[in-house]
C-alpha cells in the first residue's frame, strides 16, 4: 500500500489556508480521499504531479462526508473523468447523491437568526455557497469496521459528530489514521474541528475515544496535515479539555 499526502494551498477571503487530501494506491487502484472545493481541479492536478500522478491516474474518489470542502470538486472530477468511481459511507450516500438536503446548510439556516447583524451578510454568502454544491452519484458505500475491498488493510471507521455519517480510514500496516474532520491539527495540538459548528459534540468526543483504541503511529488531518508526535498523549489532552 502506498499512501501520499497532497498539499492544496488556497485563499479563502483574506485567509491563507491548506487542505490535505490523501491518495491511497494498491495495484491498479489510485484512490483520492476527499477533493476540496469546487474549482480545485487545477490545484489537485498540480499536487498530484508532484508525486508523478495526474487526475487521469485516479480510479476512485472516496468522500468522507458531504461538507463542501470535502466534496465540492467531486462533480467536476466525475464530469471530466466519467470512469472515476465515487465512494462514501452508507450514512452519507443520500447527501452526497443529493437525495437528502445538506445538513450543513440546514445548520447554517437554523443558526442565522441568532447571529449578530454584522455577521449576517457573510452568513448568507456561506448559505449560497452551500446551495451551489453539486451532488454526485455514488458507485459503492461502506459500513463501519469494514475493509475497503479494493484497498486491503484499509479499514472504515465510523466517526460521527462533525457529521452523522462522517468516516475516517485506518491503514493497518503503517498504523496511519486518515482522520478527515474527526480531528484537526492547529497551534501544535490535536483538536475537534470547529467545535461550535460540530453537529453533535458529545458524539464527536465519543468518536475520538473510539479512535483511541487504535494503534496509531501517524494521523493525517484534512485541516492541519500530518501528525507523528505523542499521539496517545495528545488524544488524552484533547479529551481532558472536553471532560
Amino acid at each position: 500500500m502506498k499512501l501520499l499526502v497532497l498539499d492544496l494551498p488556497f485563499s479563502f477571503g483574506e485567509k491563507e489556508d491548506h487542505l490535505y487530501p490523501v491518495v491511497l494506491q494498491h495495484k491498479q487502484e489510485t484512490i483520492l480521499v476527499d477533493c476540496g472545493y469546487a474549482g480545485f481541479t487545477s490545484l489537485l492536478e498540480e499536487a498530484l504531479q508532484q508525486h508523478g500522478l495526474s487526475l487521469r491516474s485516479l480510479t476512485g474518489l472516496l468522500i468522507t462526508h458531504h461538507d463542501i470542502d470535502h466534496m465540492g470538486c467531486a462533480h467536476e472530477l466525475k464530469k471530466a473523468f466519467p470512469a472515476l468511481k465515487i465512494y462514501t459511507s452508507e450514512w452519507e450516500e443520500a447527501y452526497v447523491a443529493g437525495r437528502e438536503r445538506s445538513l450543513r446548510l440546514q445548520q447554517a439556516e437554523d443558526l442565522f437568526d441568532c447571529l449578530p447583524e454584522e455577521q449576517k451578510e457573510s452568513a448568507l454568502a456561506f448559505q449560497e455557497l452551500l446551495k451551489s454544491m453539486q451532488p454526485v452519484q455514488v458507485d459503492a458505500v461502506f459500513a463501519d469496521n469494514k475493509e475497503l475491498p479494493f484497498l486491503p488493510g484499509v479499514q472504515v471507521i465510523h466517526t460521527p459528530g462533525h457529521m452523522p455519517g462522517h468516516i475516517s480510514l485506518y491503514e493497518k500496516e503503517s498504523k496511519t489514521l486518515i482522520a478527515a474532520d474527526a480531528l484537526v491539527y492547529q497551534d501544535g495540538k490535536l483538536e475537534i474541528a470547529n467545535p461550535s459548528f460540530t453537529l453533535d459534540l458529545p458524539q464527536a468526543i465519543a468518536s475520538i475515544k473510539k479512535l483511541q483504541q487504535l494503534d496509531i503511529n501517524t494521523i493525517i488531518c484534512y485541516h492541519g496535515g500530518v501528525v507523528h508526535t505523542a499521539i496517545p498523549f495528545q488524544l488524552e489532552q484533547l479529551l481532558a479539555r472536553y471532560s
Side-chain angles (χ1 to χ4, degrees):
M1 182 72 61
K2 191 172 183 180
L3 190 155
L4 307 170
V5 182
L6 306 184
D7 182 356
L8 305 184
F10 70 103
S11 299
F12 197 81
E14 298 181 356
K15 181 183 177 184
E16 298 295 320
D17 209 341
H18 293 253
L19 298 178
Y20 297 93
V22 172
V23 173
L24 293 166
Q25 289 185 292
H26 177 72
K27 295 185 178 179
Q28 304 304 311
E29 297 287 354
T30 302
I31 307 297
L32 176 66
V33 182
D34 294 328
C35 61
Y37 292 96
F40 268 35
T41 50
S42 59
L43 285 176
L44 283 167
E45 181 68 30
E46 183 177 344
L48 286 164
Q49 286 182 1
Q50 293 177 15
H51 296 278
L53 299 170
S54 70
L55 290 173
R56 194 171 296 277
S57 307
L58 300 177
T59 58
L61 167 64
L62 193 152
I63 298 168
T64 60
H65 63 293
H66 68 277
D67 266 334
I68 194 167
D69 55 334
H70 291 256
M71 66 161 284
C73 192
H75 182 268
E76 297 166 54
L77 290 173
K78 183 67 174 179
K79 185 176 180 180
F81 306 99
L84 185 75
K85 299 293 185 183
I86 307 295
Y87 307 111
T88 192
S89 73
E90 60 185 7
W91 311 276
E92 284 285 299
E93 188 269 340
Y95 299 103
V96 171
R99 295 197 310 280
E100 296 285 349
R101 195 165 188 265
S102 164
L103 295 175
R104 191 66 68 204
L105 175 58
Q106 186 64 55
Q107 180 192 42
E109 291 177 346
D110 291 344
L111 291 173
F112 181 77
D113 289 340
C114 303
L115 295 174
E117 285 300 319
E118 64 271 17
Q119 294 182 19
K120 287 190 173 180
E121 183 177 354
S122 60
L124 284 172
F126 181 59
Q127 288 182 32
E128 291 304 311
L129 180 65
L130 292 174
K131 290 175 183 176
S132 73
M133 185 169 63
Q134 298 191 61
V136 62
Q137 294 304 304
V138 175
D139 294 288
V141 299
F142 307 109
D144 192 19
N145 293 322
K146 299 297 183 183
E147 282 195 9
L148 299 178
F150 44 82
L151 295 173
V154 177
Q155 181 181 356
V156 173
I157 311 292
H158 184 209
T159 45
H162 186 77
M163 283 272 188
H166 185 285
I167 57 172
S168 304
L169 300 174
Y170 179 63
E171 204 282 304
K172 296 178 182 178
E173 183 177 2
S174 63
K175 301 179 181 179
T176 297
L177 175 68
I178 302 169
D181 281 357
L183 294 161
V184 298
Y185 192 60
Q186 58 188 38
D187 301 324
K189 60 186 179 183
L190 291 171
E191 184 53 270
I192 292 174
N194 291 322
S196 299
F197 297 100
T198 292
L199 290 180
D200 189 326
L201 187 57
Q203 207 172 41
I205 294 168
S207 289
I208 294 170
K209 291 178 180 178
K210 180 179 182 180
L211 293 174
Q212 267 192 312
Q213 307 309 308
L214 300 172
D215 184 9
I216 302 172
N217 285 341
T218 303
I219 298 177
I220 304 168
C221 298
Y222 195 66
H223 302 276
V226 181
V227 184
H228 294 294
T229 307
I231 287 171
F233 175 75
Q234 289 203 59
L235 291 174
E236 284 288 353
Q237 291 293 100
L238 169 55
L239 290 170
R241 293 196 292 274
Y242 287 89
S243 63

